[in-house]
Amino acid sequence: GNWWNQELFGKPTDLPWGITFTDKLSTANIFMGAIPLHPTQVYSMIHAVLLFFFVQWVYRRRQFPGQTVCLMGMGWTLGRFVVEIFRSDSDRGIFFGVSTGQILGVTGFLFCLWLYRRLRRRHAG
């Protein structure tokens, strides 16, 4: 949906896969103009597909209840943190150079890591 709506756009880039939004009414075009931007929507999609295959792989080899969901949570928040680095839309909230999504991502990652370690210890004991 973000791709078709041309929102949640990336920072300007000179990379060959940069995309230019040409719809004059799109959020990306209004704020950035018709210049090549990081395709953060595509980055998010690639991350989601890779995470899906990782979670499937972990699920078949899981060693304790909750392992898969904890690793999925850590993988999702880590990927989200990275994609946020390339985003440029200002309505996502920026505090001291860190976006709201990154703050929530770190918080979610740490919670999933804590839960993972706790469940692993409980299963081992």
Side-chain angles (χ1 to χ4, degrees), residues 12-18 36 38:
T13 184
D14 293 329
L15 295 170
W17 57 81
H38 279 282

Side-chain angles (χ1 to χ4, degrees):
N2 295 325
W3 176 266
W4 298 116
N5 292 333
Q6 300 180 8
E7 58 188 10
L8 305 181
F9 50 90
K11 294 178 180 176
T13 184
D14 293 329
L15 295 170
W17 57 81
I19 55 169
T20 302
F21 294 107
T22 56
D23 181 356
K24 299 282 186 210
L25 298 177
S26 73
T27 308
N29 195 303
I30 290 170
F31 285 98
M32 302 301 288
I35 60 172
L37 304 172
H38 279 282
T40 54
Q41 307 92 331
V42 176
Y43 297 166
S44 292
M45 181 184 65
I46 292 169
H47 165 247
V49 169
L50 292 174
L51 183 61
F52 170 79
F53 287 112
F54 172 72
V55 167
Q56 292 298 312
W57 181 80
V58 168
Y59 181 75
R60 288 194 283 290
R61 291 160 182 77
R62 68 191 180 281
Q63 299 168 352
F64 56 89
Q67 179 183 19
T68 306
V69 74
C70 288
L71 289 174
M72 185 182 79
M74 286 188 279
W76 181 259
T77 56
L78 181 64
R80 175 65 190 253
F81 186 92
V82 172
V83 169
E84 286 281 322
I85 293 169
F86 297 100
R87 284 185 52 189
S88 184
D89 49 316
S90 59
D91 60 344
R92 61 196 170 98
I94 304 290
F95 305 98
F96 303 106
V98 181
S99 74
T100 306
Q102 289 174 312
I103 293 168
L104 294 172
V106 168
T107 304
F109 182 89
L110 292 174
F111 173 75
C112 290
L113 179 62
W114 170 81
L115 185 59
Y116 179 90
R117 293 179 64 161
R118 182 177 171 137
L119 293 171
R120 185 179 66 187
R121 267 183 282 174
R122 183 182 294 170
H123 179 73

